[in-house]
């Protein structure tokens, strides 16, 4: 019996992998990066420099080389994932929460909801990344303010997406039937509308997490993110960019590769979820 159950589980797993290559590849790579960031053994302390090993080229001793301060680049790239990836995911969840709390109540064809959406459109006309940099610069370089910056940039996207989906669902026959049967507005929202916006929210969450990584990297590149000596991919690229002209390419290239892989994984995951939704 146990062998039969294991065989069925294996068949189901293979079917999921075969029919959802995007979800499997993107989600698997993202999970691998998270596991490496939090559980991979680091050969060197990522926040303790070694002045005797400054700007060492990649070798068996330092596989990614060292930077101008003597930091082991590999250790700092892995350790940076402990901050950048959770920050992106937390900022995405916060943006989703804002979208649900604001977008669902606005999913009514009323004058006040239309006015609020016009105000949101006006807010989005500002360069939000500049606004985020200004806010973080004025309020201080800490994790909480970085999350606020992610929400400022991505929250309006969730609000518009969720409101648009909810408006289209409200025109459905099953909503009319629920209203005719005396269902209360709260029940309609949580029983009929919310479950039907989950799919698009999952796709948007993957895209937003990728965008959040870009925002975090940009803030740290500009020096208004996490304070040194804590490693972040953006600050490592900023430090390494100064040495590219003199031949120290490895300092900037590896954190850049980490950013590329993280964003690529999330985009592949979003594409896989989109295909799954369209095929269901």
């Amino acid at each position: 019996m146990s062998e039969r159950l294991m065989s069925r589980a294996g068949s189901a797993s293979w079917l999921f992998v075969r029919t959802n290559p995007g979800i499997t590849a993107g989600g698997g790579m993202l999970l691998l990066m998270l596991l490496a960031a939090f559980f991979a053994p680091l050969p060197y302390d990522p926040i303790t420099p070694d002045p005797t090993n400054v700007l060492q080229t990649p070798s068996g001793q330092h596989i990614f080389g060292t930077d101008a301060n003597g930091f082991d680049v590999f250790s700092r790239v892995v350790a940076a994932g402990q901050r950048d990836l959770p920050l992106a995911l937390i900022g995405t969840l916060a943006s989703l929460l804002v979208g649900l709390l604001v977008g669902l109540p606005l999913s009514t064809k009323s004058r006040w909801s239309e006015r609020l959406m016009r105000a949101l459109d006006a807010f989005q006309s500002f360069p939000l990344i500049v606004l985020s940099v200004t806010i973080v610069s004025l309020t201080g370089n800490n994790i909480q303010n970085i999350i606020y910056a992610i929400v400022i940039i991505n929250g309006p996207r969730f609000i518009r997406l969720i409101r648009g989906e909810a408006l289209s669902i409200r025109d459905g026959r099953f909503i009319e039937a629920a209203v005719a049967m005396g269902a209360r507005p709260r029940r309609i929202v949580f029983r009929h509308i919310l479950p039907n916006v989950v799919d698009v929210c999952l796709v948007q969450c993957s895209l937003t997490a990728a965008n959040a990584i870009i925002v975090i990297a940009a803030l740290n590149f500009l020096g208004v993110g996490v304070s040194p000596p804590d490693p972040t991919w953006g600050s490592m690229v900023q430090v390494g960019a100064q040495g590219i002209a003199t031949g120290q390419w490895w300092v900037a290239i590896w954190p850049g590769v980490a950013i590329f892989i993280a964003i690529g994984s999330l985009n592949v995951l979003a594409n896989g979820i989109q295909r799954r939704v369209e095929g269901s």
Side-chain angles (χ1 to χ4, degrees):
M1 181 65 70
S2 60
E3 293 181 357
R4 183 179 299 177
L5 290 175
M6 291 180 63
S7 177
R8 289 180 178 177
S11 300
S13 300
W14 170 245
L15 180 63
F16 181 83
V17 170
R18 189 178 65 180
T19 58
N20 301 275
I23 297 177
T24 304
M29 182 58 68
L30 183 63
L31 179 61
L32 183 62
M33 294 187 72
L34 286 169
L35 291 176
F38 285 96
F39 299 107
L42 300 180
Y44 298 92
D45 190 338
I47 59 174
T48 302
D50 183 3
T52 63
N53 285 307
V54 174
L55 293 176
Q56 296 291 314
T57 58
S59 62
Q61 185 178 5
H62 299 279
I63 60 174
F64 284 1
T66 63
D67 64 11
N69 296 313
F71 289 113
D72 179 68
V73 175
F74 174 79
S75 298
R76 285 178 68 81
V77 167
V78 175
Q82 296 181 6
R83 288 185 177 273
D84 288 1
L85 291 174
L87 266 178
L89 297 177
I90 293 172
T92 298
L93 292 177
S95 300
L96 172 61
L97 181 61
V98 169
L100 290 172
L101 293 177
V102 179
L104 287 177
L106 289 179
S107 62
T108 58
K109 296 179 180 179
S110 61
R111 184 175 299 178
W112 68 271
S113 64
E114 292 297 332
R115 289 177 178 176
L116 287 177
M117 289 306 299
R118 298 292 79 75
L120 183 64
D121 292 339
F123 175 75
Q124 287 186 279
S125 66
F126 291 99
L128 297 183
I129 185 64
V130 176
L131 179 61
S132 300
V133 170
T134 304
I135 291 175
V136 175
S137 300
L138 294 177
T139 56
N141 298 358
N142 57 60
I143 293 176
Q144 182 178 1
N145 291 332
I146 294 177
I147 294 176
Y148 290 155
I150 296 172
V151 174
I152 288 173
I153 293 174
N154 295 294
R157 299 176 183 176
F158 274 103
I159 294 173
R160 177 166 290 283
L161 174 68
I162 293 173
R163 179 180 184 267
E165 287 294 319
L167 279 174
S168 64
I169 293 170
R170 284 184 182 275
D171 293 332
R173 294 291 182 87
F174 66 101
I175 298 294
E176 295 178 1
V179 173
M181 294 176 63
R184 295 183 178 181
R186 181 179 299 179
R187 178 179 176 82
I188 292 175
V189 169
F190 289 99
R191 183 67 181 273
H192 300 288
I193 296 179
L194 187 57
N196 285 286
V197 301
V198 170
D199 292 337
V200 293
C201 286
L202 289 176
V203 176
Q204 185 62 37
C205 280
S206 299
L207 296 174
T208 298
N211 185 65
I213 290 177
I214 297 175
V215 172
I216 294 168
L219 291 174
N220 288 313
F221 184 88
L222 296 173
V224 294
V226 178
S227 300
D230 293 329
T232 61
W233 292 330
S235 62
M236 293 179 67
V237 172
Q238 191 273 335
V239 171
Q242 303 172 12
I244 291 179
T246 55
Q248 291 84 35
W249 54 268
W250 61 87
V251 182
I253 192 67
W254 296 118
V257 168
I259 295 173
F260 175 80
I261 293 175
I263 294 174
S265 300
L266 288 163
N267 284 327
V268 170
L269 179 60
N271 186 57
I273 296 174
Q274 181 67 36
R275 289 179 178 273
R276 177 72 173 178
V277 171
E278 293 175 351
S280 61

